Amino acid sequence: MSYSEDNYLMISGIQHFIFCRRQWALIHVEQQWQENLRTVEGKILHTHVHDAEFHEKRNDAIYARAMAVSSASLGVSGECDLVEFHASPKGIPIFRYAGTYEVVPVEYKRGKSKEDASDRMQLVVQAMCLEEMLCCEIPYGFLYYGETKHREKVRIDEAQKQKARAILAEMHQLYERRVTPKGKRTKACNSCSLKEICLPVLSRGKSASSYFSKMLEGGQDD
């Protein structure tokens, strides 16, 4: 299957989707957003990383920041915070540089390593896009956490890719139907920047946008 560019989803959305399907829909389907301390800190961290003009060669490695990536087969697009190209006889050629290079994506996160797979899946999807674009294989990448100043190596194998494909397929289905899933309050809600938008209709089969539109019109939430 191949998606048209008009139907591409944001790669970063898979992190929201795994954390909370409702949060993802509020952001990516209903186009709602609200900042909190965590989102601001994350934005500051990425501001330091994202410089699309930055390309540097040090020793046997090339570093490219804010590299645009996409995949027609997955129907996604976005940016890689950092892509490292390490000299390797098993690598691929890079325009304007001699030799061949192994491709290693690096995703930056503000906090610390999570128990769920949200960060890892985002990195896996980035790697899958790079594989499709560069005709290469990427066996691993890294997650860098700003709070711990630590890189976590992430293996990228077929099992991880199959999981990513299944999640993205569900995301496309919900997006096409413009569905905002119901939610269930958990401890994770306390750290969500959308909790004030989400909670009024958390357990009801309505969208947050329709709720607020009705309230602004002076109606009642029945």
Side-chain angles (χ1 to χ4, degrees), residues 168-221:
L168 288 173
E170 185 179 353
M171 290 168 64
H172 276 289
Q173 290 173 3
L174 290 175
Y175 189 82
E176 289 170 5
R177 293 162 53 205
R178 296 299 190 271
V179 170
T180 300
K182 296 179 181 180
K184 181 178 181 181
R185 185 175 176 83
T186 67
K187 291 181 179 179
C189 293
N190 295 327
S191 62
C192 179
S193 64
L194 300 183
K195 62 181 179 180
E196 300 301 329
I197 296 173
C198 174
L199 289 178
V201 287
L202 190 61
S203 300
R204 309 180 188 186
K206 303 178 181 179
S207 70
S209 58
S210 65
Y211 171 87
F212 284 112
S213 294
K214 192 167 185 178
M215 293 300 290
L216 289 171
E217 292 169 1
Q220 297 295 318
D221 180 36

Side-chain angles (χ1 to χ4, degrees), residues 13 18 29 65 85 90 119 132 138 143 147-148 151 158 162-163 176 183-184 204 218:
I18 293 172
V29 176
R65 292 180 180 170
F85 299 88
K90 297 181 180 180
D119 292 346
E132 187 172 312
I138 300 175
L143 291 168
E147 185 175 322
T148 60
R151 271 192 176 195
E158 188 56 34
Q162 289 288 4
K163 184 175 181 180
E176 289 170 5
K184 181 178 181 181
R204 309 180 188 186

Side-chain angles (χ1 to χ4, degrees), residues 36-209:
N36 67 5
L37 178 61
R38 292 171 184 266
T39 61
V40 171
E41 287 178 344
K43 188 176 293 185
I44 291 172
L45 174 65
H46 282 83
T47 297
H48 293 309
V49 178
H50 279 214
D51 179 0
E53 301 300 319
F54 180 89
H55 292 82
E56 180 184 21
K57 189 175 190 304
R58 296 201 305 265
N59 299 321
D60 292 330
I62 303 166
Y63 301 87
R65 292 180 180 170
M67 183 174 175
V69 295
S70 63
S71 166
S73 64
L74 299 176
V76 294
S77 64
E79 284 187 345
C80 293
D81 289 338
L82 176 66
V83 180
E84 299 178 352
F85 299 88
H86 297 276
S88 169
K90 297 181 180 180
I92 59 171
I94 302 296
F95 182 62
R96 292 181 180 173
Y97 293 96
T100 54
Y101 297 82
E102 178 185 37
V103 184
V104 182
V106 182
E107 173 66 17
Y108 281 65
K109 297 297 180 184
R110 59 158 293 280
K112 57 186 178 180
S113 182
K114 300 181 179 66
E115 292 184 4
D116 66 33
S118 56
D119 292 346
R120 294 191 296 277
M121 281 294 104
Q122 183 177 349
L123 183 67
V124 169
V125 174
Q126 290 175 356
M128 294 171 74
C129 290
L130 287 166
E131 288 182 334
E132 187 172 312
M133 293 169 62
L134 301 176
C135 298
C136 66
E137 292 186 8
I138 300 175
Y140 68 93
F142 290 99
L143 291 168
Y144 174 84
Y145 289 97
E147 185 175 322
T148 60
K149 303 294 190 295
H150 175 71
R151 271 192 176 195
E152 178 182 309
K153 188 173 183 178
V154 176
R155 184 178 63 180
I156 300 169
D157 55 23
E158 188 56 34
Q160 294 276 60
K161 293 177 185 178
Q162 289 288 4
K163 184 175 181 180
R165 291 187 190 101
I167 295 170
L168 288 173
E170 185 179 353
M171 290 168 64
H172 276 289
Q173 290 173 3
L174 290 175
Y175 189 82
E176 289 170 5
R177 293 162 53 205
R178 296 299 190 271
V179 170
T180 300
K182 296 179 181 180
K184 181 178 181 181
R185 185 175 176 83
T186 67
K187 291 181 179 179
C189 293
N190 295 327
S191 62
C192 179
S193 64
L194 300 183
K195 62 181 179 180
E196 300 301 329
I197 296 173
C198 174
L199 289 178
V201 287
L202 190 61
S203 300
R204 309 180 188 186
K206 303 178 181 179
S207 70
S209 58

